[in-house]
Amino acid sequence: MPRRTPLALLAVLLVAAPPVWARAPAPTAKLAVTARAPVKPVAPVASVEGITEYRLPNGLRVLLFPDPTKPTVTVNVTYLVGSKHEGYGETGMAHLLEHLMFKGTPTTPNVPQALTERGARPNGTTWLDRTNYYETLPASDDNLTWALTFEADRMVHSFIAQKDLDSEMTVVRNEFESGENDPRGILFKRTMSAAYLWHNYGKATIGAKADLEHVPIDRLQAFYRRYYRPDNAVLAIAGRFQPEKALALVQSTFGKLQRPPEPVPLTYTQEPTQDGEREVTLRRVGDNQLLTSLYHVPEGAHPDFAAIDVLTEVLGDVPSGRLYKALVETKKAARAGAFNFQLRDPGVVGFSAEARQDQPLGPVRDALLKTVEEAARTPFTDEEVNRAKTSLAKQTELLLNNSERAAILLSEWAAVGDWRLLFLHRDRVEAVTPADVTRVAAAYLKSSNRTLGTFLPTPKPDRSELPPPVDVAKAVDGYQGKALVAQGEAFDPSPAHIESRVQRGELSSGVKYALLPKKTRGEMVNLTLNLRWGTEETVSGKLPAAAYAGRMLMRGTTKHTRQQLSDALDKLKARVSLDGGALGANLSIECPRASLPEVLTLMAEVLREPAFDANEFAVLKQERLAALESQRSEPQTQASIAFWRVLNARYPKGHPFYVPTLEERLSDVKDVTLEQARDFHRQFYGASRGELSVVGDFDAKALLPLTNALFDGWKSPAPYARVQKTYQPVGPRAVALETPDKANAYFLAGQTLKLREDDADWPGVMMGNFILGGGFLNSRLATRVRQQEGLSYGVGSSASAGDLDAVGSFVTYAIYAPQNVEKLEAAMREEVTRAVQKGFTQQELDKARSGLLEYRQSARAQDGNLSQRLADDLYLGRTLMFDAALEAKLQKLTPEDVRKALANHVDWSQATVVRAGDFAAAAKQAPAPTKANAAP
């Protein structure tokens, strides 16, 4: 799947916000489940590369994607309705309705509880053209039956009640306010609004604050009845299931829903051709200067979009992209990039740049516009286009090798026009030529089609006329796709079964290994390599040098440039993560079986022979300065640093566990030298000690000799000793930080725990935290703070215990409006204290235990997670039977066991409480409406 847009911009429009549940019904849709005689089996409508479509008589489109390698099954229902379909005064309605869809039905009044009990990983997201709801559950006939029954039920019987709107409106408003903290997101919203004069794509999916606060419940109910119906939905099932049985279940659940007599309303607004430059200026508190330039392009189904995707990559890639070379390498800007929106109606391609405050913005703007709008004057080369196509092909292949991700992504393509466009677009990208890219650049990247600058009279407007709408049905008619990818085995992720197949040993270098060969979809394999070096004394004071030694690794070796490394990994279809620090380095690889030897050889070169190029080092420092400076006014960053500085105050400056201030981090970036980074690598890096784990489809007999050859003789010159963590109680502290002009505040409260993972209290503390602040929005904190009082969009808690040292932590957190600070803190304090003093009911414990154990089992089913776990266990001297023993203890816990464990370690009176927000401005304003005083 091609890259669409950076997360910072995507978050402005795409909102994923499953809300809390309701307890009583309200007026519901007139659609009903009616009894019918058994229906005849339905025939396939289309089949492409393992995905088969069926069409029920009521109009529901059903996609089946069986994948026996997954121990899970994903059910994804996509409704072809999004913020594009909202009327005047209804902005944000599609997303608000998404929240209310988690409030329950008469048969499932507590949706989060029902999902958590089954160990589900659910969510709902709203976008411009569609809304989707999905849950991934442990694969079983019972879970699939439940999920299909539940989704069919809430399609027509969801509570859309006034009381739920009253509480959830404030939660959504809190989500809106959290977005108001981000200058990038706000600038993007303003630019999109200026780019679209009439079409609803110019309105952010999160909506306008006034509309959120005042939308009447009857309009939400009407919106629900109008668009939530079988003939406006696409159901996708992916993972481990039997297709015939699943299709029969779909017919017995969704098949009973009636198609309403009135047709689905269609939108008809078309954005006129832009006839001149547009500009918008935003002035708010922030740290870095930003530019965003948008250009209208055809709808996502148009054949031109393949070349537009390649164009986006060629201009925006890092470090090969033209914008990166024109802006970042020349040090005009700290960052530059590109993105596009592939939508049902004509969308946009966009380009962005970020400059620090001391960098003049005029040259950045000139270079950005010149690089983009004069791109076609320098025809695109075979090298540029092939590199972009290789990167896009890798993204698509990696996605299709994960049926769970693919099932959810089908939401986007169904909204564009048809799910088969995923494959058709992929094939179109493969056929793109440099001439195609040059042509679309010339057609759409024009100044008269730009939204950024001020209007200027133009005697002869040069406009970008968009082509006629595409006949999607004709475009996909008869399309067959490519051959199916290799199928894997049905794998049991229980600790005992995993242990029966793990091979352990030690390489000649001294690195311990754990190997788990198994058949996987697409012959994929995951590798983890942890290397360890240094002592507390030898690395003291060298943290900046260590950090930059690690950050420079992937920026080129003595044999390959940074770009050559990136190109090689794209061709090998490998996803690689590498990080190095004061005490070691961590490498993770995900790639096909055939690529593993070459990828591992390349990464051994990266570890052993980094180039430490001076130009790359200078670019890296600029990027890091910009990233840190952009966080100066952010409440979450400021609160987090302050909180962890208090809890780790026992460690002096220079210690590996010292938490520096933001200003210290900026100073470190400015002061660290290339020679210091190079010296740290020379003095510490080596494979004397570490852990290697490999999970997936690979040849163990061939891998071990290769790994021995790659790392044998590479020893760390420095001595090694594990740096111990020391427990030190921290007395109660209260820290308040002012972050002016930020609509959303951040709250943290917690304490250090004297606790280790093998302590008798750890299972009880883990379970107590899960009930208090974990799970899927059904925790006590979420129920009180989000559902009952509507104070926070994101609220929860976490607990940790040390693996080798008895040092852990308990932390609660929430985002909220600054004017609600007293209510928020009171609610958090009361719920934690109530849990410690009064404990939990047997029913709470039983339901939470079921969900927690399912979550742990599902985590082991992910090969990347399992690879990291096996590597960690090698270091700790454990096997997965430690997990089995821990889960056996979780099974035996009583409510009193949980309460006592929490009471032994958690004490709110000793908590460190940190708040960060614009409290001064909030004190001058009236309190934000909550459930008690929300507007009707």
Side-chain angles (χ1 to χ4, degrees):
M1 177 65 182
R3 178 181 58 195
R4 290 286 168 258
T5 178
L7 289 178
L9 300 184
L10 185 59
V12 175
L13 293 180
L14 174 62
V15 279
V20 289
W21 59 96
R23 290 190 294 270
T28 60
K30 295 180 180 179
L31 301 176
V33 178
T34 59
R36 288 186 178 180
V39 294
K40 296 180 181 180
V42 294
V45 174
S47 185
V48 177
E49 297 185 20
I51 303 175
T52 304
E53 178 184 359
Y54 300 84
R55 192 76 56 90
L56 299 191
N58 61 11
L60 179 72
R61 279 155 280 189
V62 182
L63 307 180
L64 300 186
F65 189 1
D67 180 7
T69 67
K70 283 284 185 183
T72 57
V73 62
T74 298
V75 174
N76 178 36
V77 181
T78 302
Y79 296 92
L80 301 181
V81 57
S83 56
K84 178 182 76 174
H85 301 84
E86 295 163 345
Y88 186 79
E90 296 179 346
T91 61
M93 177 181 288
H95 172 234
L96 189 55
L97 178 60
E98 175 213 321
H99 275 244
L100 296 186
M101 288 289 288
F102 284 85
K103 291 292 187 177
T105 72
T107 56
T108 310
N110 191 332
V111 173
Q113 182 66 57
L115 290 164
T116 300
E117 287 176 15
R118 292 178 177 270
R121 287 183 284 111
N123 209 345
T125 69
T126 309
W127 188 215
L128 298 166
D129 294 310
R130 58 92 191 138
T131 307
N132 78 315
Y133 305 85
Y134 64 90
E135 49 269 340
T136 297
L137 308 101
S140 70
D141 290 346
D142 179 67
N143 278 342
L144 181 57
T145 301
W146 179 87
L148 293 173
T149 302
F150 164 64
E151 291 293 356
D153 187 31
R154 74 166 163 178
M155 179 181 282
V156 295
H157 290 144
S158 288
F159 303 143
I160 309 298
Q162 181 66 54
K163 67 180 186 61
D164 296 327
L165 176 60
D166 289 345
S167 63
E168 204 63 23
M169 178 276 292
T170 58
V171 172
V172 174
R173 185 180 56 201
N174 185 236
E175 182 182 357
F176 169 89
E177 290 164 345
S178 70
E180 290 292 288
N181 281 4
D182 181 14
R184 294 178 189 82
I186 302 166
L187 177 62
F188 180 71
K189 286 198 293 186
R190 299 292 184 269
T191 311
M192 282 289 286
S193 179
Y196 285 95
L197 298 178
W198 305 107
H199 198 285
N200 260 11
Y201 284 170
K203 296 180 173 62
T205 300
I206 192 66
K209 187 176 180 180
D211 287 0
L212 295 175
E213 291 175 338
H214 300 102
V215 61
I217 188 63
D218 61 329
R219 295 181 77 170
L220 273 170
Q221 292 168 344
F223 194 86
Y224 172 61
R225 290 192 296 267
R226 189 180 307 129
Y227 292 108
Y228 280 62
R229 43 194 285 173
D231 57 335
N232 195 44
V234 180
L235 167 66
I237 305 174
R240 186 187 298 175
F241 64 90
Q242 296 179 4
E244 298 79 9
K245 185 178 292 185
L247 190 58
L249 288 173
V250 172
Q251 290 177 277
S252 66
T253 52
F254 285 91
K256 295 180 179 179
L257 304 182
Q258 293 182 350
R259 181 205 300 255
E262 64 276 10
V264 178
L266 298 177
T267 60
Y268 47 83
T269 299
Q270 295 182 8
E271 185 69 18
T273 300
Q274 186 166 328
D275 53 6
E277 300 89 336
R278 301 173 190 167
E279 182 171 358
V280 61
T281 301
L282 174 71
R283 298 184 186 277
R284 285 200 180 192
V285 169
D287 305 295
N288 291 338
Q289 303 173 94
L290 307 166
L291 287 173
T292 295
S293 179
L294 301 180
Y295 304 81
H296 294 281
V297 293
E299 70 265 41
H302 195 278
D304 272 359
F305 221 101
I308 291 169
D309 254 353
V310 176
L311 171 66
T312 306
E313 285 282 334
V314 172
L315 292 181
D317 185 54
V318 174
S320 69
R322 292 187 179 185
L323 284 171
Y324 185 88
K325 294 184 179 300
L327 293 169
V328 181
E329 287 188 355
T330 60
K331 300 181 178 59
K332 290 185 176 71
R335 295 178 186 172
F339 58 93
N340 65 58
F341 284 169
Q342 191 170 8
L343 304 170
R344 182 61 177 259
D345 297 332
V348 294
V349 60
F351 307 92
S352 62
E354 179 176 352
R356 298 169 56 203
Q357 286 191 0
D358 59 358
Q359 292 175 304
L361 195 60
V364 179
R365 171 183 170 138
D366 293 344
L368 173 72
L369 298 182
K370 180 178 180 180
T371 303
V372 171
E373 295 176 6
E374 296 182 12
R377 297 185 184 180
T378 305
F380 294 88
T381 66
D382 287 335
E383 181 183 5
E384 288 178 306
V385 172
N386 289 337
R387 177 183 293 129
K389 289 164 61 174
T390 300
S391 176
L392 293 170
K394 179 187 80 169
Q395 295 172 43
T396 302
E397 183 161 337
L398 287 173
L399 176 108
L400 290 175
N401 283 333
N402 187 313
S403 56
E404 177 182 334
R405 294 182 210 161
I408 297 170
L409 181 70
L410 291 173
S411 300
E412 308 299 336
W413 291 101
V416 172
D418 190 290
W419 63 274
R420 288 168 289 181
L421 286 170
L422 164 62
F423 301 94
L424 183 60
H425 181 74
R426 175 202 61 192
D427 295 351
R428 287 172 172 173
V429 169
E430 289 181 356
V432 168
T433 66
D436 294 329
V437 181
T438 302
R439 176 179 56 79
V440 297
Y444 304 116
L445 302 185
K446 300 177 180 179
S447 60
S448 63
N449 192 32
R450 176 214 313 154
T451 300
L452 171 77
T454 309
F455 170 74
L456 295 174
T458 306
K460 296 181 179 180
D462 182 12
R463 299 173 179 172
S464 293
E465 299 287 347
L466 296 178
V470 172
D471 184 342
V472 175
K474 182 178 179 181
V476 301
D477 184 31
Y479 180 74
Q480 298 299 315
K482 297 184 178 182
L484 293 173
V485 301
Q487 298 297 305
E489 64 179 284
F491 185 74
D492 174 10
S494 66
H497 182 257
I498 293 172
E499 283 300 321
S500 71
R501 295 179 57 170
V502 173
Q503 308 165 24
R504 292 186 175 88
E506 186 171 307
L507 301 176
S508 58
S509 65
V511 171
K512 300 175 183 178
Y513 67 78
L515 309 180
L516 177 55
K518 69 187 186 79
K519 297 298 182 182
T520 58
R521 178 176 173 81
E523 298 182 329
M524 298 299 290
V525 58
N526 282 264
L527 178 148
T528 299
L529 174 64
N530 298 329
L531 299 177
R532 304 181 188 277
W533 50 67
T535 68
E536 179 178 336
E537 294 75 19
T538 57
V539 304
S540 179
K542 297 180 179 179
L543 270 65
Y548 278 83
R551 291 178 181 133
M552 287 295 293
L553 294 176
M554 291 294 291
R555 290 181 174 249
T557 72
T558 56
K559 299 175 182 175
H560 294 87
T561 66
R562 180 185 181 188
Q563 187 62 63
Q564 289 170 336
L565 287 175
S566 177
D567 291 346
L569 292 173
D570 279 348
K571 291 177 182 178
L572 293 167
K573 300 172 183 176
R575 181 182 288 120
V576 171
S577 173
L578 175 60
D579 183 39
L583 300 174
N586 309 100
L587 167 68
S588 67
I589 297 172
E590 180 186 7
C591 68
R593 172 192 177 105
S595 299
L596 182 59
E598 193 172 346
V599 175
L600 186 56
T601 300
L602 192 62
M603 296 315 296
E605 177 188 316
V606 168
L607 283 164
R608 299 185 66 165
E609 305 175 57
F612 289 104
D613 179 79
N615 289 331
E616 286 289 350
F617 187 71
V619 170
L620 172 62
K621 293 184 72 170
Q622 286 292 312
E623 292 172 349
R624 288 295 301 164
L625 284 171
L628 291 171
E629 289 170 345
S630 68
Q631 298 301 309
R632 273 182 164 147
S633 60
E634 292 304 312
Q636 186 165 342
T637 300
Q638 294 293 338
S640 297
I641 291 175
F643 179 80
W644 290 109
R645 280 181 58 80
V646 172
L647 264 61
N648 289 276
R650 59 193 178 278
Y651 300 115
K653 187 173 183 179
H655 190 281
F657 301 148
Y658 174 74
V659 179
T661 65
L662 187 60
E663 293 305 317
E664 287 174 333
R665 299 175 198 203
L666 286 163
S667 178
D668 287 343
V669 176
K670 296 173 183 176
D671 295 342
V672 69
T673 67
L674 179 61
E675 190 57 36
Q676 288 172 340
R678 184 185 291 112
D679 284 346
F680 187 91
H681 183 273
R682 185 167 48 241
Q683 295 168 12
F684 289 92
Y685 273 65
S688 308
R689 297 164 189 83
E691 304 83 40
L692 169 72
S693 68
V694 190
V695 176
D697 201 334
F698 66 99
D699 184 349
K701 292 182 179 179
L703 179 65
L704 289 176
L706 172 63
T707 309
N708 274 320
L710 291 174
F711 295 106
D712 189 35
W714 186 44
K715 302 291 184 181
S716 173
Y720 170 76
R722 183 177 72 85
V723 180
Q724 297 184 357
K725 294 182 178 179
T726 56
Y727 172 77
Q728 180 177 319
V730 179
R733 289 283 303 276
V735 180
L737 303 171
E738 283 290 333
T739 56
D741 201 32
K742 294 297 180 180
N744 207 247
Y746 194 66
F747 168 87
L748 278 170
Q751 62 189 107
T752 55
L753 306 181
K754 190 174 185 180
L755 192 62
R756 213 168 76 158
E757 288 181 344
D758 56 0
D759 289 346
D761 277 348
W762 173 233
V765 172
M766 179 194 296
M767 183 63 71
N769 171 75
F770 187 74
I771 302 172
L772 180 64
F776 177 66
L777 299 183
N778 65 312
S779 67
R780 283 195 175 180
L781 288 175
T783 300
R784 167 77 180 275
V785 176
R786 176 172 171 148
Q787 186 253 347
Q788 294 179 356
E789 299 191 22
L791 296 172
S792 176
Y793 169 72
V795 58
S797 67
S798 66
S800 67
D803 43 31
L804 295 174
D805 302 314
V807 182
S809 64
F810 171 74
V811 182
T812 62
Y813 58 88
I815 62 172
Y816 62 104
Q819 55 266 39
N820 290 330
V821 57
E822 300 301 333
K823 293 180 180 179
L824 184 281
E825 294 187 16
M828 300 291 279
R829 178 179 64 252
E830 290 167 10
E831 289 304 318
V832 173
T833 302
R834 182 165 71 96
V836 171
Q837 294 180 352
K838 298 183 179 180
F840 309 99
T841 66
Q842 185 67 53
Q843 184 181 31
E844 280 182 298
L845 175 58
D846 290 341
K847 292 180 177 180
R849 175 163 33 218
S850 173
L852 179 57
L853 292 174
E854 290 286 6
Y855 282 130
R856 292 177 62 85
Q857 182 87 332
S858 295
R860 288 191 293 268
Q862 307 301 317
D863 288 352
N865 291 344
L866 181 56
S867 177
Q868 185 63 61
R869 181 69 188 186
L870 290 173
D872 291 344
D873 282 350
L874 287 172
Y875 172 65
L876 299 173
R878 297 175 183 169
T879 70
L880 283 177
M881 299 317 294
F882 182 91
D883 291 53
L886 175 61
E887 289 167 13
K889 295 173 184 176
L890 292 171
Q891 288 279 20
K892 298 177 182 178
L893 287 172
T894 68
E896 184 59 14
D897 293 334
V898 177
R899 190 202 66 78
K900 284 184 177 179
L902 281 180
N904 288 341
H905 298 277
V906 176
D907 183 354
W908 190 273
S909 69
Q910 297 301 308
T912 292
V913 179
V914 178
R915 60 168 77 162
D918 191 355
F919 303 110
K924 301 176 183 178
Q925 302 171 359
T930 60
K931 182 177 180 180
N933 60 2

